[in-house]
Amino acid sequence: MRKWLTRSIVLYFLYAFIVYWYLFIFSQSGVPAPYEGTSADPATFMSGRELILSEEYSTIRNFLYFVTMPFEWFLLFVFLITGFSKKMQEWSNATSRYFSLQSAVYFFWLSLFVTIISFPVEWIGYQVSKTYNITTQSFSSWMKDQLIDFWVNYALMTVVVIVLYGLIKRFEKKWWLYAWLLSIPFSLFLMFVQPVVIDPLYNDFYPLKNKELEEEILHLAAKADIPGEHVYEVNMSEKTNALNAYVNGIGSNSRIVLWDTTLNRLSENEILFIMAHEMGHYVMNHIYIGIAGYLILSLFGLFLIHLMMKGIVKKCGNLLHIKSIKELTAFPLFLILLGVLTFASSPIVNTVSRYQEKSADMYAIEMTQNHEAAVSSFQELAKAGLSQVNPPALVKIFRYTHPTMIERILYLEEHGEKQSGN
């Protein structure tokens, strides 16, 4: 056990050093020479101080992402190899003879210990955002959101654990297929209730106060055949200076939502372009395409997890204190493999997402025909979030679900030149 713990710690710090070297020393995020002085060059729309802060903030945030992302895997591995996961199962077994209650108790202890140990990491991320004036949220408000996160995730994941291990116990060879089938209605249900049940736990939503702007947005929505009687505003200025807008939910619970920071900082034309972008996702069925892609990946992912869990338990079961995948003790192994496969598939998922985002951009510019507002909206988004316009390659591959700002501004300008040429 000591040997494996020592190896894992050394490997983790080696990985962190490589990430640090890549982000802080090796990679370059400046604008290529041909684009210097263009509207895609941050030097044309950011002050000198904003340029420095955006590079610092983005690099630190990227470093924290890549370093903390495997930290939970490491914690779960420690729980397994030290026998702590087995001990938690013993505690849960002693509380009740009913498997569902045992699962709920086991996952409560697992969630609690992971949350407590990971808290300093989360706090560092909060402090970094606070230091660079991205986060405006007070510590008490931030802690409230952390507690809400804990209980919402616990409630949802407890259902998952009970169903998952009920299937594994009953259908050891085919559990992955039945779990996948059940995940379809569960995922659709979550998407349906999120706008009206989960999101309001964190923020206050109310109809857009600017009725003239609401009328303009609903006019765009009508042109796109998007159902909706109201546009919602959310008071994000209490928590952040970043900008955002979105259309979420499915069916009758779909919502058009604007952050009040976006309303306060952008012009009406810029807001209309952003809303047209979000409507483009709806019109091109990106939500449903995303669901279909998620289901395909999750089917293969669950099958791979099944094979890997069987192989790992067979070879390393004694080391990890796991006798069978049917035991709750093995759940941390499930989470580790799920996290690793999710991270490994992120380049593919992000590539598809970036394609969809570009399609939505092009839809928005065709609808609004206002290239100046489109470009300036992206410039304001970059300034408000202190975002790198041209991030390092690996950051883009693993983190960016949207095209980089330099890409978005350049293809919008190219579209404008073609339009003026015609």
Side-chain angles (χ1 to χ4, degrees):
M1 181 186 71
R2 287 194 298 270
K3 180 174 68 175
W4 276 97
L5 280 175
T6 301
R7 287 176 177 176
S8 61
I9 292 171
V10 170
L11 184 63
Y12 181 80
F13 277 97
L14 178 62
Y15 164 79
F17 173 77
I18 293 172
V19 170
Y20 179 88
W21 172 81
Y22 176 76
L23 292 175
F24 287 90
I25 300 174
F26 175 77
S27 62
Q28 300 293 327
S29 58
V31 176
Y35 306 116
E36 290 180 357
T38 67
S39 57
D41 184 353
T44 64
F45 59 86
M46 286 187 183
S47 67
R49 178 170 172 74
E50 287 173 331
L51 284 171
I52 294 172
L53 292 178
S54 66
E55 285 298 315
E56 289 179 354
Y57 176 71
S58 296
T59 303
I60 292 171
R61 292 291 293 180
N62 290 331
F63 177 74
L64 288 175
Y65 168 79
F66 283 108
V67 170
T68 60
M69 175 266 306
F71 181 69
E72 186 171 318
W73 310 343
F74 174 72
L75 285 182
L76 295 170
F77 173 72
V78 171
F79 288 169
L80 287 171
I81 201 170
T82 59
F84 192 58
S85 180
K86 183 179 180 180
K87 177 61 68 175
M88 286 189 290
Q89 181 172 347
E90 292 174 357
W91 295 344
S92 64
N93 290 345
T95 60
S96 174
R97 62 188 180 92
Y98 298 105
F99 175 73
S100 58
L101 288 176
Q102 292 174 359
S103 301
V105 172
Y106 172 85
F107 187 64
F108 173 78
W109 287 115
L110 181 65
S111 300
L112 183 64
F113 285 119
V114 169
T115 300
I116 292 173
I117 298 172
S118 301
F119 180 79
V121 175
E122 298 293 329
W123 181 80
I124 289 171
Y126 164 73
Q127 285 297 321
V128 168
S129 294
K130 190 85 170 175
T131 300
Y132 284 87
N133 203 33
I134 301 299
T135 294
T136 59
Q137 192 173 17
S138 66
F139 180 75
S140 59
S141 174
W142 179 76
M143 278 299 302
K144 178 184 174 183
D145 282 352
Q146 296 299 303
L147 290 172
I148 293 173
D149 273 342
F150 176 85
W151 288 112
V152 169
N153 291 332
Y154 173 72
L156 295 175
M157 284 300 297
T158 297
V159 174
V160 172
V161 173
I162 293 172
V163 173
L164 181 68
Y165 272 86
L167 292 173
I168 293 175
K169 283 178 173 290
R170 189 170 181 180
F171 311 103
E172 186 173 357
K173 294 182 179 180
K174 295 288 186 180
W175 68 265
W176 55 273
L177 179 59
Y178 299 124
W180 177 75
L181 290 172
L182 288 175
S183 73
I184 298 174
F186 184 69
S187 299
L188 292 175
F189 172 74
L190 286 181
M191 293 188 69
F192 183 77
V193 302
Q194 180 177 341
V196 295
V197 177
I198 298 177
D199 289 350
L201 295 174
Y202 297 88
N203 300 290
D204 296 326
F205 292 79
Y206 37 85
L208 187 61
K209 297 173 184 176
N210 186 337
K211 295 304 175 184
E212 292 182 3
L213 178 59
E214 181 182 47
E215 187 176 341
E216 290 285 342
I217 293 172
L218 291 176
H219 176 68
L220 279 179
K223 286 173 61 178
D225 293 324
I226 296 176
E229 297 180 359
H230 297 287
V231 179
Y232 288 87
E233 182 178 340
V234 56
N235 62 331
M236 289 300 296
S237 57
E238 295 180 355
K239 298 182 178 182
T240 182
N241 283 319
L243 314 180
N244 198 14
Y246 58 88
V247 177
N248 75 336
I250 57 175
S252 59
N253 279 357
S254 59
R255 281 186 169 187
I256 302 172
V257 180
L258 274 163
W259 286 11
D260 62 345
T261 52
T262 305
L263 292 165
N264 296 336
R265 184 153 178 169
L266 298 188
S267 69
E268 182 175 311
N269 286 333
E270 291 167 341
I271 291 171
L272 290 175
F273 171 78
I274 289 175
M275 295 313 300
H277 166 97
E278 299 301 333
M279 293 172 191
H281 288 305
Y282 183 95
V283 171
M284 291 180 278
N285 296 312
H286 287 167
I287 292 176
Y288 298 102
I289 293 171
I291 292 173
Y294 160 76
L295 292 175
I296 292 171
L297 283 177
S298 62
L299 175 62
F300 285 104
L302 287 170
F303 178 62
L304 286 175
I305 289 174
H306 167 70
L307 295 179
M308 288 189 288
M309 284 186 72
K310 295 284 286 187
I312 291 172
V313 170
K314 184 177 181 180
K315 292 183 178 180
C316 308
N318 289 335
L319 177 68
L320 300 177
H321 302 277
I322 304 173
K323 294 179 180 178
S324 167
I325 65 170
K326 295 180 180 181
E327 297 178 324
L328 285 170
T329 306
F331 188 59
L333 178 60
F334 174 88
L335 292 177
I336 292 171
L337 295 175
L338 177 64
V340 171
L341 289 178
T342 300
F343 179 73
S345 65
S346 59
I348 299 172
V349 174
N350 291 345
T351 298
V352 174
S353 178
R354 287 194 296 270
Y355 173 79
Q356 291 181 333
E357 295 296 336
K358 180 177 180 180
S359 299
D361 283 343
M362 302 315 293
Y363 175 89
I365 200 62
E366 289 289 345
M367 177 175 274
T368 61
Q369 291 295 319
N370 192 330
H371 294 84
E372 183 179 345
V375 170
S376 62
S377 67
F378 287 143
Q379 291 174 337
E380 286 298 325
L381 284 169
K383 288 176 65 176
L386 292 180
S387 304
Q388 286 177 313
V389 171
N390 187 33
L394 289 180
V395 173
K396 174 185 172 181
I397 291 170
F398 283 98
R399 295 206 67 188
Y400 272 54
T401 56
H402 292 61
T404 63
M405 286 300 180
I406 189 172
E407 291 171 336
R408 301 179 89 171
I409 292 173
L410 288 176
Y411 62 60
L412 284 176
E413 286 199 331
E414 182 180 342
H415 180 273
E417 291 172 0
K418 288 180 180 179
Q419 290 288 93
S420 61
N422 293 336

